Amino acid sequence: GAVVSQHPSWVICKSGTSVKIECRSLDFQATTMFWYRQFPKQSLMLMATSNEGSKATYEQGVEKDKFLINHASLTLSTLTVTSAHPEDSSFYICSAPGAGNQETQYFGPGTRLLVL
Amino acid sequence: SQQGEEDPQALSIQEGENATMNCSYKTSINNLQWYRQNSGRGLVHLILIRSNEREKHSGRLRVTLDTSKKSSSLLITASRAADTASYFCATRYVSQGGKLIFGQGTELSVKP
Protein backbone atom coordinates (compact mmCIF):
# COMPACT_ATOMS: atom_id res chain seq x y z
CA GLY A 1 0.00 0.00 0.00
CA ALA A 2 0.93 3.65 -0.19
CA VAL A 3 3.43 4.89 2.36
CA VAL A 4 3.91 8.32 3.86
CA SER A 5 7.02 9.07 5.85
CA GLN A 6 7.86 11.90 8.21
CA HIS A 7 11.19 13.22 9.31
CA PRO A 8 12.27 13.64 11.99
CA SER A 9 10.25 11.27 14.15
CA TRP A 10 11.01 13.36 17.20
CA VAL A 11 12.77 16.63 17.90
CA ILE A 12 13.71 18.62 20.96
CA CYS A 13 14.54 22.27 20.53
CA LYS A 14 15.05 25.42 22.53
CA SER A 15 12.38 28.08 22.74
CA GLY A 16 12.74 30.63 19.94
CA THR A 17 14.22 28.30 17.37
CA SER A 18 12.53 27.09 14.19
CA VAL A 19 11.87 23.47 13.41
CA LYS A 20 11.20 21.93 10.01
CA ILE A 21 9.20 18.74 9.62
CA GLU A 22 9.14 16.86 6.32
CA CYS A 23 6.31 14.75 4.96
CA ARG A 24 6.98 12.53 1.96
CA SER A 25 4.80 10.29 -0.13
CA LEU A 26 7.15 7.44 -0.94
CA ASP A 27 5.54 5.59 -3.81
CA PHE A 28 2.84 7.91 -5.07
CA GLN A 29 2.36 11.54 -5.95
CA ALA A 30 0.31 13.87 -3.81
CA THR A 31 -0.81 17.28 -5.03
CA THR A 32 -2.47 17.76 -1.67
CA MET A 33 -1.26 16.89 1.81
CA PHE A 34 -2.78 17.63 5.18
CA TRP A 35 -1.13 18.63 8.45
CA TYR A 36 -2.63 17.76 11.82
CA ARG A 37 -1.63 18.52 15.38
CA GLN A 38 -2.45 16.31 18.33
CA PHE A 39 -2.03 17.24 21.98
CA PRO A 40 -1.79 14.48 24.61
CA LYS A 41 -5.05 12.63 25.21
CA GLN A 42 -6.76 14.65 22.50
CA SER A 43 -7.87 14.14 18.94
CA LEU A 44 -6.22 15.24 15.72
CA MET A 45 -6.91 18.82 14.78
CA LEU A 46 -6.49 19.75 11.14
CA MET A 47 -4.09 22.67 10.81
CA ALA A 48 -3.80 23.22 7.09
CA THR A 49 -4.06 21.81 3.61
CA SER A 50 -0.82 21.86 1.68
CA ASN A 51 -1.19 22.37 -2.07
CA GLU A 52 1.56 21.65 -4.55
CA GLY A 53 2.35 24.75 -6.57
CA SER A 54 0.15 27.11 -4.57
CA LYS A 55 -0.35 28.52 -1.11
CA ALA A 56 -1.49 26.36 1.75
CA THR A 57 -4.99 26.73 3.12
CA TYR A 58 -5.07 27.21 6.87
CA GLU A 59 -7.87 26.27 9.23
CA GLN A 60 -9.44 28.94 11.36
CA GLY A 61 -7.28 29.91 14.30
CA VAL A 62 -4.01 28.57 12.86
CA GLU A 63 -1.37 31.25 12.39
CA LYS A 64 0.06 30.97 8.89
CA ASP A 65 3.14 33.02 9.80
CA LYS A 66 3.80 30.70 12.71
CA PHE A 67 3.35 27.46 10.81
CA LEU A 68 4.92 27.82 7.40
CA ILE A 69 3.97 25.19 4.85
CA ASN A 70 5.77 24.57 1.59
CA HIS A 71 4.68 21.92 -0.88
CA ALA A 72 7.91 21.78 -2.83
CA SER A 73 7.13 18.85 -5.10
CA LEU A 74 4.54 16.18 -5.76
CA THR A 75 6.08 14.01 -3.04
CA LEU A 76 7.20 16.49 -0.39
CA SER A 77 5.50 18.93 1.95
CA THR A 78 7.27 20.68 4.81
CA LEU A 79 5.91 22.29 7.95
CA THR A 80 8.15 24.81 9.69
CA VAL A 81 7.27 25.83 13.20
CA THR A 82 8.84 29.26 13.50
CA SER A 83 10.04 30.73 16.78
CA ALA A 84 8.80 27.70 18.63
CA HIS A 85 7.53 28.01 22.19
CA PRO A 86 6.70 25.35 24.78
CA GLU A 87 3.00 25.56 23.88
CA ASP A 88 3.90 24.37 20.38
CA SER A 89 5.04 21.05 21.84
CA SER A 90 2.79 18.49 20.25
CA PHE A 91 2.53 15.50 17.93
CA TYR A 92 2.40 16.61 14.30
CA ILE A 93 0.99 14.21 11.71
CA CYS A 94 0.71 14.58 7.96
CA SER A 95 -1.45 12.69 5.51
CA ALA A 96 -1.91 12.39 1.78
CA PRO A 97 -4.89 11.17 -0.22
CA GLY A 98 -4.39 8.07 -2.31
CA ALA A 99 -4.65 7.98 -6.06
CA GLY A 100 -7.91 7.56 -7.90
CA ASN A 101 -10.98 8.78 -6.06
CA GLN A 102 -8.79 9.75 -3.12
CA GLU A 103 -11.18 8.34 -0.55
CA THR A 104 -8.40 6.81 1.48
CA GLN A 105 -5.82 8.91 3.20
CA TYR A 106 -2.40 7.65 4.15
CA PHE A 107 -0.95 8.95 7.36
CA GLY A 108 2.64 9.48 8.28
CA PRO A 109 3.96 8.06 11.58
CA GLY A 110 4.02 11.50 13.18
CA THR A 111 6.67 13.83 14.57
CA ARG A 112 6.86 14.53 18.27
CA LEU A 113 8.06 18.06 19.01
CA LEU A 114 9.22 19.14 22.44
CA VAL A 115 10.12 22.77 22.93
CA LEU A 116 12.08 23.53 26.06
CA SER B 1 -15.64 23.49 15.51
CA GLN B 2 -16.64 20.87 13.00
CA GLN B 3 -15.21 18.12 15.09
CA GLY B 4 -17.55 15.22 15.58
CA GLU B 5 -18.61 13.78 18.87
CA GLU B 6 -17.67 10.33 20.05
CA ASP B 7 -18.90 8.36 22.98
CA PRO B 8 -17.96 6.98 25.27
CA GLN B 9 -14.75 8.94 25.81
CA ALA B 10 -13.32 5.94 27.63
CA LEU B 11 -14.34 2.29 27.69
CA SER B 12 -12.92 -0.50 29.81
CA ILE B 13 -13.92 -4.11 29.14
CA GLN B 14 -12.70 -7.65 29.71
CA GLU B 15 -11.07 -9.71 27.01
CA GLY B 16 -13.69 -11.56 25.00
CA GLU B 17 -16.38 -8.93 25.44
CA ASN B 18 -17.66 -6.73 22.64
CA ALA B 19 -16.82 -3.04 22.46
CA THR B 20 -19.12 -0.48 20.87
CA MET B 21 -18.11 3.08 20.08
CA ASN B 22 -20.36 5.74 18.62
CA CYS B 23 -19.67 8.76 16.49
CA SER B 24 -21.92 11.66 15.47
CA TYR B 25 -21.23 14.29 12.85
CA LYS B 26 -22.77 17.51 11.66
CA THR B 27 -23.31 17.88 7.93
CA SER B 28 -23.48 15.78 4.76
CA ILE B 29 -20.53 13.49 4.28
CA ASN B 30 -18.90 11.57 1.42
CA ASN B 31 -17.68 8.87 3.75
CA LEU B 32 -16.83 8.10 7.34
CA GLN B 33 -13.68 6.30 8.38
CA TRP B 34 -12.49 4.68 11.58
CA TYR B 35 -8.88 4.74 12.74
CA ARG B 36 -6.95 3.22 15.60
CA GLN B 37 -4.03 4.84 17.37
CA ASN B 38 -1.81 3.10 19.84
CA SER B 39 -0.39 5.35 22.51
CA GLY B 40 2.00 7.88 21.02
CA ARG B 41 1.98 6.24 17.61
CA GLY B 42 0.61 6.92 14.15
CA LEU B 43 -2.85 6.13 12.85
CA VAL B 44 -3.98 2.81 11.47
CA HIS B 45 -6.88 2.88 9.02
CA LEU B 46 -9.52 0.34 10.00
CA ILE B 47 -12.52 0.71 7.76
CA LEU B 48 -14.28 3.16 5.44
CA ILE B 49 -18.02 3.35 4.94
CA ARG B 50 -19.54 5.46 2.21
CA SER B 51 -22.58 7.67 2.62
CA ASN B 52 -24.73 5.27 0.58
CA GLU B 53 -23.76 2.26 2.67
CA ARG B 54 -25.39 1.20 5.91
CA GLU B 55 -23.16 -1.52 7.25
CA LYS B 56 -19.71 -2.90 6.63
CA HIS B 57 -17.66 -5.73 8.08
CA SER B 58 -13.96 -6.38 8.29
CA GLY B 59 -12.84 -9.31 10.40
CA ARG B 60 -13.98 -8.63 13.97
CA LEU B 61 -15.05 -5.10 13.08
CA ARG B 62 -18.55 -4.03 12.19
CA VAL B 63 -19.39 -0.47 11.24
CA THR B 64 -22.84 0.97 10.77
CA LEU B 65 -23.84 4.31 9.35
CA ASP B 66 -27.16 6.10 9.85
CA THR B 67 -27.16 9.23 7.70
CA SER B 68 -30.61 10.28 8.94
CA LYS B 69 -29.23 10.49 12.48
CA LYS B 70 -25.77 11.54 11.30
CA SER B 71 -24.17 8.83 13.37
CA SER B 72 -21.98 5.78 13.06
CA SER B 73 -20.94 2.99 15.36
CA LEU B 74 -17.92 0.72 15.49
CA LEU B 75 -18.32 -2.70 17.05
CA ILE B 76 -15.31 -4.81 17.93
CA THR B 77 -16.34 -8.36 18.70
CA ALA B 78 -14.46 -10.80 20.93
CA SER B 79 -12.03 -8.12 22.02
CA ARG B 80 -8.40 -8.86 22.79
CA ALA B 81 -5.87 -7.09 24.99
CA ALA B 82 -4.11 -6.03 21.77
CA ASP B 83 -7.21 -4.00 20.83
CA THR B 84 -6.33 -1.55 23.61
CA ALA B 85 -5.92 1.79 21.82
CA SER B 86 -7.69 5.03 21.00
CA TYR B 87 -10.28 4.85 18.25
CA PHE B 88 -11.26 7.82 16.12
CA CYS B 89 -13.93 8.37 13.56
CA ALA B 90 -13.13 10.79 10.76
CA THR B 91 -15.57 12.28 8.32
CA ARG B 92 -14.96 13.49 4.82
CA TYR B 93 -17.47 16.26 4.26
CA VAL B 94 -19.06 16.97 0.91
CA SER B 95 -18.32 20.68 1.20
CA GLN B 96 -14.76 20.37 2.46
CA GLY B 97 -12.84 18.80 -0.38
CA GLY B 98 -10.69 15.89 0.65
CA LYS B 99 -9.89 16.80 4.20
CA LEU B 100 -10.88 14.62 7.12
CA ILE B 101 -12.34 15.96 10.33
CA PHE B 102 -11.70 13.75 13.35
CA GLY B 103 -13.96 12.99 16.25
CA GLN B 104 -12.79 13.31 19.81
CA GLY B 105 -11.96 9.64 20.12
CA THR B 106 -12.70 6.76 22.43
CA GLU B 107 -9.97 5.31 24.61
CA LEU B 108 -10.51 1.57 24.79
CA SER B 109 -8.89 -0.58 27.44
CA VAL B 110 -9.24 -4.35 27.16
CA LYS B 111 -8.18 -6.17 30.30
CA PRO B 112 -6.79 -9.70 29.97
Side-chain angles (χ1 to χ4, degrees):
Chain A
V3 176
V4 173
S5 70
Q6 281 184 242
H7 178 80
S9 56
W10 59 271
V11 57
I12 301 173
C13 70
K14 292 182 180 179
S15 188
T17 60
S18 294
V19 175
K20 180 186 284 188
I21 302 170
E22 294 185 347
C23 177
R24 292 183 187 272
S25 55
L26 296 186
D27 50 0
F28 66 105
Q29 294 182 334
T31 56
T32 300
M33 290 183 176
F34 302 98
W35 286 97
Y36 295 84
R37 179 170 56 184
Q38 184 181 33
F39 292 109
K41 300 290 186 182
Q42 294 188 25
S43 185
L44 282 75
M45 292 297 294
L46 180 65
M47 298 175 67
T49 303
S50 173
N51 304 299
E52 190 270 336
S54 64
K55 291 182 180 179
T57 305
Y58 291 82
E59 296 299 304
Q60 193 172 8
V62 178
E63 300 174 58
K64 60 182 180 182
D65 295 329
K66 171 79 172 175
F67 300 98
L68 300 179
I69 290 173
N70 182 25
H71 202 131
S73 72
L74 288 172
T75 59
L76 173 65
S77 173
T78 59
L79 169 68
T80 301
V81 183
T82 62
S83 187
H85 290 285
E87 58 265 30
D88 298 322
S89 299
S90 188
F91 194 48
Y92 292 87
I93 305 175
C94 70
S95 71
N101 61 19
Q102 302 192 338
E103 280 188 323
T104 302
Q105 285 206 22
Y106 300 95
F107 284 81
T111 295
R112 191 163 299 284
L113 170 64
L114 177 60
V115 185
L116 301 177
Chain B
S1 167
Q2 292 189 38
Q3 204 169 32
E5 301 284 329
E6 282 189 61
D7 75 271
Q9 290 189 341
L11 179 62
S12 182
I13 58 175
Q14 294 293 132
E15 216 168 20
E17 294 180 339
N18 296 341
T20 299
M21 289 159 265
N22 304 294
C23 167
S24 61
Y25 56 91
K26 298 185 179 180
T27 60
S28 297
I29 59 172
N30 293 118
N31 63 58
L32 186 144
Q33 306 176 32
W34 285 90
Y35 290 84
R36 185 184 73 209
Q37 184 181 38
N38 289 80
S39 180
R41 309 287 289 275
L43 294 172
V44 174
H45 181 263
L46 296 176
I47 198 165
L48 179 153
I49 187 165
R50 297 183 179 88
S51 60
N52 61 353
E53 298 175 313
R54 292 298 166 259
E55 189 170 309
K56 222 167 177 182
H57 297 254
S58 176
R60 293 184 296 114
L61 305 180
R62 185 177 82 119
V63 168
T64 61
L65 180 65
D66 187 335
T67 53
S68 66
K69 294 181 180 179
K70 293 187 172 55
S71 67
S72 174
S73 67
L74 170 67
L75 168 67
I76 304 174
T77 59
S79 63
R80 306 166 182 167
D83 294 329
T84 295
S86 293
Y87 291 82
F88 297 94
C89 67
T91 44
R92 189 182 185 208
Y93 288 97
V94 170
S95 62
Q96 298 287 337
K99 59 187 180 183
L100 292 178
I101 304 298
F102 281 80
Q104 296 168 340
T106 294
E107 197 169 332
L108 174 66
S109 173
V110 182
K111 300 185 191 309

Short mmCIF file of all heavy atoms in Angstrom, two decimals, chain B residues 7-39:
data_model
loop_
_atom_site.label_atom_id
_atom_site.label_comp_id
_atom_site.label_asym_id
_atom_site.label_seq_id
_atom_site.Cartn_x
_atom_site.Cartn_y
_atom_site.Cartn_z
N ASP B 7 -18.67 8.84 21.63
CA ASP B 7 -18.90 8.36 22.98
C ASP B 7 -18.83 6.84 23.00
O ASP B 7 -19.10 6.20 21.98
CB ASP B 7 -20.25 8.86 23.52
CG ASP B 7 -21.44 8.13 22.93
OD1 ASP B 7 -21.92 8.57 21.88
OD2 ASP B 7 -21.83 7.10 23.52
N PRO B 8 -18.42 6.25 24.09
CA PRO B 8 -17.96 6.98 25.27
C PRO B 8 -16.55 7.54 25.04
O PRO B 8 -15.87 7.16 24.10
CB PRO B 8 -17.94 5.90 26.34
CG PRO B 8 -17.62 4.64 25.59
CD PRO B 8 -18.32 4.80 24.25
N GLN B 9 -16.11 8.43 25.90
CA GLN B 9 -14.75 8.94 25.81
C GLN B 9 -13.76 7.87 26.24
O GLN B 9 -12.63 7.84 25.74
CB GLN B 9 -14.59 10.18 26.68
CG GLN B 9 -15.32 11.38 26.14
CD GLN B 9 -14.99 12.65 26.89
OE1 GLN B 9 -14.48 12.60 28.01
NE2 GLN B 9 -15.27 13.79 26.30
N ALA B 10 -14.18 7.03 27.17
CA ALA B 10 -13.32 5.94 27.63
C ALA B 10 -14.17 4.71 27.88
O ALA B 10 -15.32 4.82 28.31
CB ALA B 10 -12.57 6.34 28.89
N LEU B 11 -13.61 3.55 27.55
CA LEU B 11 -14.34 2.29 27.69
C LEU B 11 -13.38 1.23 28.18
O LEU B 11 -12.31 1.03 27.58
CB LEU B 11 -14.93 1.91 26.34
CG LEU B 11 -15.72 0.60 26.25
CD1 LEU B 11 -16.94 0.65 27.16
CD2 LEU B 11 -16.16 0.35 24.81
N SER B 12 -13.76 0.55 29.26
CA SER B 12 -12.92 -0.50 29.81
C SER B 12 -13.71 -1.79 29.86
O SER B 12 -14.79 -1.84 30.44
CB SER B 12 -12.44 -0.12 31.22
OG SER B 12 -11.59 -1.11 31.74
N ILE B 13 -13.21 -2.83 29.21
CA ILE B 13 -13.92 -4.11 29.14
C ILE B 13 -12.95 -5.26 29.39
O ILE B 13 -11.72 -5.07 29.39
CB ILE B 13 -14.61 -4.31 27.78
CG1 ILE B 13 -13.57 -4.24 26.65
CG2 ILE B 13 -15.70 -3.27 27.57
CD1 ILE B 13 -14.14 -4.55 25.27
N GLN B 14 -13.52 -6.44 29.55
CA GLN B 14 -12.70 -7.65 29.71
C GLN B 14 -12.48 -8.29 28.35
O GLN B 14 -13.30 -8.16 27.44
CB GLN B 14 -13.40 -8.66 30.63
CG GLN B 14 -13.55 -8.21 32.07
CD GLN B 14 -12.21 -8.10 32.78
OE1 GLN B 14 -11.93 -7.11 33.42
NE2 GLN B 14 -11.39 -9.14 32.64
N GLU B 15 -11.37 -8.97 28.24
CA GLU B 15 -11.07 -9.71 27.01
C GLU B 15 -12.24 -10.64 26.68
O GLU B 15 -12.80 -11.29 27.59
CB GLU B 15 -9.79 -10.52 27.20
CG GLU B 15 -8.93 -10.60 25.96
CD GLU B 15 -7.54 -11.14 26.24
OE1 GLU B 15 -7.34 -11.81 27.27
OE2 GLU B 15 -6.66 -10.90 25.40
N GLY B 16 -12.59 -10.69 25.41
CA GLY B 16 -13.69 -11.56 25.00
C GLY B 16 -15.01 -10.83 24.87
O GLY B 16 -15.91 -11.29 24.14
N GLU B 17 -15.14 -9.72 25.54
CA GLU B 17 -16.38 -8.93 25.44
C GLU B 17 -16.36 -8.12 24.15
O GLU B 17 -15.33 -7.93 23.52
CB GLU B 17 -16.52 -8.00 26.65
CG GLU B 17 -16.72 -8.74 27.96
CD GLU B 17 -16.87 -7.79 29.14
OE1 GLU B 17 -16.43 -6.64 29.03
OE2 GLU B 17 -17.41 -8.22 30.18
N ASN B 18 -17.54 -7.62 23.80
CA ASN B 18 -17.66 -6.73 22.64
C ASN B 18 -17.51 -5.28 23.08
O ASN B 18 -17.91 -4.92 24.18
CB ASN B 18 -19.00 -6.92 21.95
CG ASN B 18 -19.17 -8.32 21.38
OD1 ASN B 18 -18.19 -9.03 21.17
ND2 ASN B 18 -20.40 -8.69 21.13
N ALA B 19 -16.97 -4.46 22.19
CA ALA B 19 -16.82 -3.04 22.46
C ALA B 19 -17.56 -2.26 21.39
O ALA B 19 -17.38 -2.52 20.19
CB ALA B 19 -15.35 -2.64 22.45
N THR B 20 -18.39 -1.32 21.82
CA THR B 20 -19.12 -0.48 20.87
C THR B 20 -18.79 0.98 21.11
O THR B 20 -18.85 1.47 22.23
CB THR B 20 -20.64 -0.68 21.03
OG1 THR B 20 -20.96 -2.04 20.77
CG2 THR B 20 -21.39 0.20 20.03
N MET B 21 -18.42 1.65 20.03
CA MET B 21 -18.11 3.08 20.08
C MET B 21 -19.00 3.80 19.09
O MET B 21 -19.28 3.28 18.00
CB MET B 21 -16.65 3.31 19.71
CG MET B 21 -15.70 2.83 20.78
SD MET B 21 -14.04 2.52 20.16
CE MET B 21 -14.12 0.79 19.83
N ASN B 22 -19.44 4.99 19.45
CA ASN B 22 -20.36 5.74 18.62
C ASN B 22 -19.75 7.07 18.20
O ASN B 22 -18.94 7.66 18.91
CB ASN B 22 -21.66 6.01 19.38
CG ASN B 22 -22.29 4.74 19.87
OD1 ASN B 22 -22.73 3.90 19.07
ND2 ASN B 22 -22.34 4.54 21.18
N CYS B 23 -20.20 7.53 17.05
CA CYS B 23 -19.67 8.76 16.49
C CYS B 23 -20.83 9.54 15.87
O CYS B 23 -21.67 8.95 15.17
CB CYS B 23 -18.63 8.41 15.42
SG CYS B 23 -18.12 9.76 14.35
N SER B 24 -20.90 10.83 16.12
CA SER B 24 -21.92 11.66 15.47
C SER B 24 -21.21 12.79 14.74
O SER B 24 -20.13 13.23 15.13
CB SER B 24 -22.91 12.22 16.50
OG SER B 24 -22.25 13.04 17.43
N TYR B 25 -21.84 13.23 13.66
CA TYR B 25 -21.23 14.29 12.85
C TYR B 25 -22.29 15.32 12.50
O TYR B 25 -23.46 15.18 12.88
CB TYR B 25 -20.58 13.69 11.60
CG TYR B 25 -21.51 12.88 10.72
CD1 TYR B 25 -22.21 13.48 9.68
CD2 TYR B 25 -21.68 11.53 10.95
CE1 TYR B 25 -23.05 12.73 8.88
CE2 TYR B 25 -22.53 10.78 10.16
CZ TYR B 25 -23.21 11.38 9.12
OH TYR B 25 -24.06 10.63 8.34
N LYS B 26 -21.86 16.36 11.75
CA LYS B 26 -22.77 17.51 11.66
C LYS B 26 -23.43 17.75 10.31
O LYS B 26 -24.57 18.14 10.26
CB LYS B 26 -22.01 18.77 12.10
CG LYS B 26 -21.56 18.68 13.54
CD LYS B 26 -20.91 19.96 14.03
CE LYS B 26 -20.51 19.81 15.48
NZ LYS B 26 -19.86 21.02 16.01
N THR B 27 -22.70 17.59 9.22
CA THR B 27 -23.31 17.88 7.93
C THR B 27 -23.10 16.71 6.98
O THR B 27 -22.53 15.70 7.36
CB THR B 27 -22.74 19.17 7.32
OG1 THR B 27 -21.34 19.01 7.13
CG2 THR B 27 -22.99 20.36 8.24
N SER B 28 -23.55 16.87 5.75
CA SER B 28 -23.48 15.78 4.76
C SER B 28 -22.05 15.34 4.53
O SER B 28 -21.14 16.16 4.42
CB SER B 28 -24.09 16.24 3.44
OG SER B 28 -25.45 16.54 3.61
N ILE B 29 -21.87 14.04 4.44
CA ILE B 29 -20.53 13.49 4.28
C ILE B 29 -20.42 12.66 3.00
O ILE B 29 -21.42 12.17 2.48
CB ILE B 29 -20.13 12.59 5.48
CG1 ILE B 29 -21.13 11.44 5.65
CG2 ILE B 29 -20.05 13.42 6.75
CD1 ILE B 29 -20.72 10.42 6.68
N ASN B 30 -19.20 12.52 2.51
CA ASN B 30 -18.90 11.57 1.42
C ASN B 30 -18.71 10.18 2.01
O ASN B 30 -19.20 9.19 1.49
CB ASN B 30 -17.62 11.96 0.68
CG ASN B 30 -17.77 13.26 -0.09
OD1 ASN B 30 -17.07 14.22 0.19
ND2 ASN B 30 -18.66 13.28 -1.05
N ASN B 31 -17.93 10.14 3.08
CA ASN B 31 -17.68 8.87 3.75
C ASN B 31 -17.27 9.11 5.19
O ASN B 31 -17.00 10.25 5.59
CB ASN B 31 -16.62 8.04 3.01
CG ASN B 31 -15.25 8.72 2.98
OD1 ASN B 31 -14.67 9.02 4.01
ND2 ASN B 31 -14.74 8.91 1.76
N LEU B 32 -17.25 8.05 5.95
CA LEU B 32 -16.83 8.10 7.34
C LEU B 32 -15.82 6.98 7.53
O LEU B 32 -16.02 5.85 7.05
CB LEU B 32 -18.02 7.93 8.28
CG LEU B 32 -17.75 8.11 9.77
CD1 LEU B 32 -18.95 8.76 10.45
CD2 LEU B 32 -17.41 6.78 10.43
N GLN B 33 -14.75 7.28 8.22
CA GLN B 33 -13.68 6.30 8.38
C GLN B 33 -13.37 6.13 9.87
O GLN B 33 -13.53 7.07 10.65
CB GLN B 33 -12.43 6.78 7.64
CG GLN B 33 -12.70 7.10 6.18
CD GLN B 33 -11.52 7.65 5.43
OE1 GLN B 33 -10.38 7.31 5.71
NE2 GLN B 33 -11.79 8.52 4.45
N TRP B 34 -12.92 4.97 10.21
CA TRP B 34 -12.49 4.68 11.58
C TRP B 34 -11.00 4.37 11.59
O TRP B 34 -10.50 3.64 10.73
CB TRP B 34 -13.27 3.51 12.17
CG TRP B 34 -14.69 3.86 12.54
CD1 TRP B 34 -15.79 3.78 11.75
CD2 TRP B 34 -15.14 4.36 13.81
NE1 TRP B 34 -16.90 4.20 12.45
CE2 TRP B 34 -16.53 4.55 13.71
CE3 TRP B 34 -14.50 4.65 15.02
CZ2 TRP B 34 -17.30 5.04 14.77
CZ3 TRP B 34 -15.26 5.13 16.07
CH2 TRP B 34 -16.65 5.31 15.95
N TYR B 35 -10.32 4.92 12.59
CA TYR B 35 -8.88 4.74 12.74
C TYR B 35 -8.58 4.29 14.17
O TYR B 35 -9.32 4.59 15.12
CB TYR B 35 -8.12 6.05 12.48
CG TYR B 35 -8.13 6.50 11.05
CD1 TYR B 35 -9.19 7.23 10.52
CD2 TYR B 35 -7.06 6.20 10.21
CE1 TYR B 35 -9.19 7.65 9.20
CE2 TYR B 35 -7.04 6.62 8.88
CZ TYR B 35 -8.11 7.34 8.40
OH TYR B 35 -8.10 7.75 7.08
N ARG B 36 -7.47 3.60 14.30
CA ARG B 36 -6.95 3.22 15.60
C ARG B 36 -5.59 3.87 15.81
O ARG B 36 -4.81 4.01 14.85
CB ARG B 36 -6.81 1.70 15.70
CG ARG B 36 -6.38 1.20 17.08
CD ARG B 36 -6.16 -0.30 17.08
NE ARG B 36 -4.95 -0.66 16.38
CZ ARG B 36 -4.77 -1.82 15.76
NH1 ARG B 36 -5.74 -2.72 15.74
NH2 ARG B 36 -3.63 -2.07 15.16
N GLN B 37 -5.33 4.26 17.04
CA GLN B 37 -4.03 4.84 17.37
C GLN B 37 -3.56 4.25 18.68
O GLN B 37 -4.21 4.43 19.72
CB GLN B 37 -4.12 6.37 17.48
CG GLN B 37 -2.78 7.02 17.72
CD GLN B 37 -2.87 8.53 17.85
OE1 GLN B 37 -3.83 9.04 18.43
NE2 GLN B 37 -1.90 9.26 17.31
N ASN B 38 -2.44 3.56 18.60
CA ASN B 38 -1.81 3.10 19.84
C ASN B 38 -1.09 4.28 20.46
O ASN B 38 -0.66 5.19 19.76
CB ASN B 38 -0.87 1.94 19.56
CG ASN B 38 -1.64 0.68 19.20
OD1 ASN B 38 -2.09 0.52 18.07
ND2 ASN B 38 -1.84 -0.18 20.15
N SER B 39 -0.91 4.22 21.76
CA SER B 39 -0.39 5.35 22.51
C SER B 39 0.88 5.92 21.89
O SER B 39 1.88 5.22 21.72
CB SER B 39 -0.12 4.91 23.95
OG SER B 39 0.38 6.00 24.70
#
